[in-house]
């Protein structure tokens, strides 16, 4: 600060200079924090308001997936050892009542648009630091009439974080089967995701972050984890098995099979790996890690869309893979294993937690890393990028995760992550930018 010769504080001219300097500084800070003007270190300015950048066919060729099926014999062998139940039986055994959200939880819901439906988890699940909700899908994905048989339900994937990467259960995945037949009183039962081992003689946990999930026909698609070769795990609603022993163990034990105290398990029937090798998760030029994913029923054929989580300043990639027969992704080779990325874009929105594509508009959910700060939801095409509430960017949910569209009701569903602030909510698709 500049003082006059008598040491009595700044002169009039210096005070004006200080005010101008402060105004200039605040302007720079505001510009730096604005979602439309975030830059990456050493990179050209990347704005959330930038339209999508198209990824050409030659680059997309390196983003294909490869199908790795569990043999039918392995699946049949494991099925023979445990009681195979259906979705209805899981719902009928639902033992966790959802509840109305309290004031703090309601404070995490979007402010624009406002939620058309919401509920919260039972107290234990709402407050645990060990498990984090990450992904969401529904019977609205599974079938275009919005129901699975006679049931309407929501699935939410949670990932175990525990004490961190050294924990033996780190990135274990459980799925809440939420009975939504009565929207006024949802209830749910947990199902643990596993993978068959020893030719179906045993099973082990699936290690995945589960940042995205999509239910299509009888198949459930769950994203893997960063820095690995498995992009997406696939499960089948035809193979939900009931554990025969209740103990703190997983797999074959004396007297039968246990699943860490969970009553039901879903064994994987296969997985999609990155054809180009291990994904990196830190740059947008190497193999992209599938962060989140969702189903697009508006495309012909129906397709799966994915996004990657990259920090502000690095344009994350969004990719599309077409579905083929038997509700699996469409392969383009005689071997039936290679699945090409048929479309791809780079988005200027940072920290993308969820992705949804509908009628050629891509919706991406941004999450702020700060506590108490809402995120953004952007509608993007190759010609524009628009936030849900115009100039007020932070109006989406606080700490939001993935997105899914329930076509028969016209609602987009999502959920929030942090303990004590966990909600499940819906907004009308018609309230989002088109």
């Amino acid at each position: 600060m500049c003082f006059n010769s008598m040491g009595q504080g700044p002169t009039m001219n210096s005070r004006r200079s200080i005010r101008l300097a402060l105004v200039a500084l605040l302007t720079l800070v505001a510009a730096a924090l604005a979602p439309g003007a975030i830059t990456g270190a050493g990179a050209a300015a990347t704005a959330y308001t930038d339209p999508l950048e198209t990824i050409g066919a030659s680059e997309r060729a390196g983003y294909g997936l490869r199908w790795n099926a569990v043999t039918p014999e392995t699946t049949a062998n494991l099925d023979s050892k445990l009681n195979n139940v259906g979705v209805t039986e899981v719902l009928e055994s639902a033992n966790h009542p959802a509840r109305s959200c309290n004031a703090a939880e309601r404070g995490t819901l979007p402010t624009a648009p406002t939620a058309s439906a919401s509920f919260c988890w039972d107290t234990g699940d709402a407050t645990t630091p060990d498990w984090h909700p990450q992904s969401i899908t529904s019977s609205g994905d599974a079938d275009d009439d919005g129901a699975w048989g006679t049931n309407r339900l929501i699935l939410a994937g949670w990932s175990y974080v525990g004490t961190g990467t050294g924990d033996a259960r780190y990135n274990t995945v459980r799925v809440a089967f939420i009975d939504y037949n009565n929207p006024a009183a949802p209830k749910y039962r947990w199902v643990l995701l596993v993978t068959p081992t020893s030719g179906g003689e045993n099973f082990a946990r699936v290690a995945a972050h589960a940042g995205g999930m999509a239910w299509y026909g009888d198949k459930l698609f769950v994203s893997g984890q960063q820095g690995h070769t498995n992009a997406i795990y696939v499960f089948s609603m035809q193979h939900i098995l009931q554990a025969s022993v209740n103990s703190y163990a997983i797999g074959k034990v004396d007297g039968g099979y246990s699943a860490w105290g969970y009553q039901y398990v879903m064994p994987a029937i296969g997985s999609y790996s990155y054809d180009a090798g291990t994904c990196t998760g830190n740059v947008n030029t190497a193999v992209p890690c599938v962060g989140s994913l969702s189903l697009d029923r508006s495309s012909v054929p129906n397709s799966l869309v994915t996004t990657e989580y990259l920090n502000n300043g690095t344009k994350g990639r969004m990719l599309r893979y077409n579905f083929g027969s038997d509700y699996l992704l469409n392969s383009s080779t005689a071997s039936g294993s290679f699945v090409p990325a048929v479309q791809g874009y780079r988005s200027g929105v940072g920290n993308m937690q969820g992705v949804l594509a509908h009628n050629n508009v891509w919706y991406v959910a941004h999450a702020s890393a700060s506590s108490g700060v809402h995120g953004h939801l952007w509608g993007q095409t190759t010609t524009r990028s628009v936030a849900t509430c115009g100039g007020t960017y932070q109006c989406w949910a606080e700490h939001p995760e993935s997105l899914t569209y329930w076509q028969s009701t016209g609602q987009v569903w999502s959920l929030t992550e942090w303990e004590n602030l966990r909600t499940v909510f819906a907004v009308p698709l018609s309230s989002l930018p088109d």
Side-chain angles (χ1 to χ4, degrees):
M1 184 175 289
C2 179
F3 289 87
N4 66 17
S5 60
M6 297 298 293
Q8 300 299 313
T11 65
M12 182 179 297
N13 287 337
S14 63
R15 286 197 300 268
R16 183 173 64 181
S17 298
I18 292 167
R19 285 198 301 271
L20 291 174
L22 286 173
V23 169
L25 177 61
L26 291 173
T27 300
L28 288 172
V29 170
L33 294 177
I38 294 177
T39 61
T46 297
Y48 284 27
T49 50
D50 288 347
L52 296 176
E53 293 179 2
T54 300
I55 296 174
S58 59
E59 181 183 347
R60 287 203 319 274
Y63 300 154
L65 305 175
R66 195 161 291 277
W67 173 237
N68 312 288
V70 172
T71 66
E73 293 78 13
T74 295
T75 297
N77 190 27
L78 186 55
D79 276 1
S80 71
K81 300 182 181 306
L82 293 166
N83 185 30
N84 196 333
V85 303
V87 171
T88 297
E89 185 168 337
V90 173
L91 295 184
E92 288 175 345
S93 70
N95 58 344
H96 294 271
R99 58 181 176 80
S100 298
C101 301
N102 60 36
E105 292 162 335
R106 290 194 301 274
T108 71
L109 294 172
T111 58
T114 57
S116 54
S118 65
F119 61 87
C120 284
W121 306 96
D122 77 2
T123 301
D125 294 325
T127 60
T128 177
D130 294 334
W131 291 91
H132 284 192
Q134 299 292 320
S135 49
I136 190 167
T137 185
S138 75
S139 55
D141 273 347
D143 199 321
D144 56 11
D145 69 358
W148 182 249
T150 59
N151 291 301
R152 301 171 67 82
L153 65 153
I154 298 168
L155 304 184
W158 289 50
S159 180
Y160 183 82
V161 295
T163 56
T165 54
D167 193 314
R169 290 196 292 171
Y170 185 72
N171 272 353
T172 294
V173 180
R174 65 181 185 180
V175 177
F177 278 58
I178 305 167
D179 183 340
Y180 204 64
N181 288 305
N182 177 9
K187 53 186 177 179
Y188 59 99
R189 162 72 78 168
W190 292 111
V191 176
L192 190 71
L193 299 188
V194 300
T195 185
T197 62
S198 305
E201 290 294 313
N202 207 345
F203 60 79
R205 72 184 184 113
V206 163
H209 183 64
M213 191 161 62
W215 180 6
Y216 187 54
D218 69 321
K219 304 300 192 297
L220 180 66
F221 297 77
V222 178
S223 62
Q225 57 183 313
Q226 184 171 300
H228 289 71
T229 56
N230 273 334
I232 301 167
Y233 290 91
V234 183
F235 306 84
S236 172
M237 296 297 165
Q238 309 301 327
H239 302 283
I240 304 175
L241 309 180
Q242 186 171 9
S244 53
V245 176
N246 183 8
S247 71
Y248 188 77
I250 186 166
K252 194 172 185 177
V253 296
D254 289 342
Y257 291 83
S258 173
W260 276 326
Y262 292 97
Q263 185 171 346
Y264 300 109
V265 298
M266 284 186 77
I269 62 165
S271 66
Y272 291 96
S273 58
Y274 302 104
D275 185 64
T278 302
C279 74
T280 62
N282 54 14
V283 296
N284 68 355
T285 53
V287 180
C289 295
V290 175
S292 191
L293 57 83
S294 66
L295 172 68
D296 184 358
R297 280 188 169 274
S298 71
S299 64
V300 180
N302 295 163
S303 57
L304 191 75
V305 297
T306 70
T307 191
E308 61 182 336
Y309 182 96
L310 293 174
N311 292 331
N312 291 328
T314 305
K315 292 194 172 185
R317 290 158 292 185
M318 303 188 296
L319 301 169
R320 184 187 298 275
Y321 302 90
N322 284 339
F323 278 105
S325 60
D326 198 26
Y327 301 106
L328 293 172
L329 297 179
N330 188 37
S331 63
S332 64
T333 59
S335 66
S337 63
F338 181 76
V339 178
V342 297
Q343 190 179 53
Y345 300 103
R346 281 185 170 83
S347 171
V349 176
N351 304 342
M352 289 189 290
Q353 292 279 43
V355 61
L356 179 71
H358 185 77
N359 288 342
N360 297 313
V361 179
W362 292 69
Y363 299 97
V364 291
H366 158 277
S368 171
S370 301
S371 178
V373 178
H374 283 243
H376 327 139
L377 188 73
W378 294 79
Q380 298 191 298
T381 69
T382 55
T383 60
R384 65 188 183 282
S385 179
V386 182
T388 54
C389 49
T392 307
Y393 297 109
Q394 291 169 329
C395 60
W396 190 237
E398 187 177 329
H399 316 306
E401 291 295 323
S402 67
L403 304 166
T404 187
Y405 178 49
W406 199 319
Q407 179 176 279
S408 64
T409 67
Q411 291 177 309
V412 173
W413 284 84
S414 187
L415 70 174
T416 57
E417 177 183 14
W418 286 14
E419 58 262 32
N420 300 304
L421 300 172
R422 293 172 177 152
T423 62
V424 182
F425 67 91
V427 299
L429 178 68
S430 60
S431 65
L432 304 183
D434 56 17

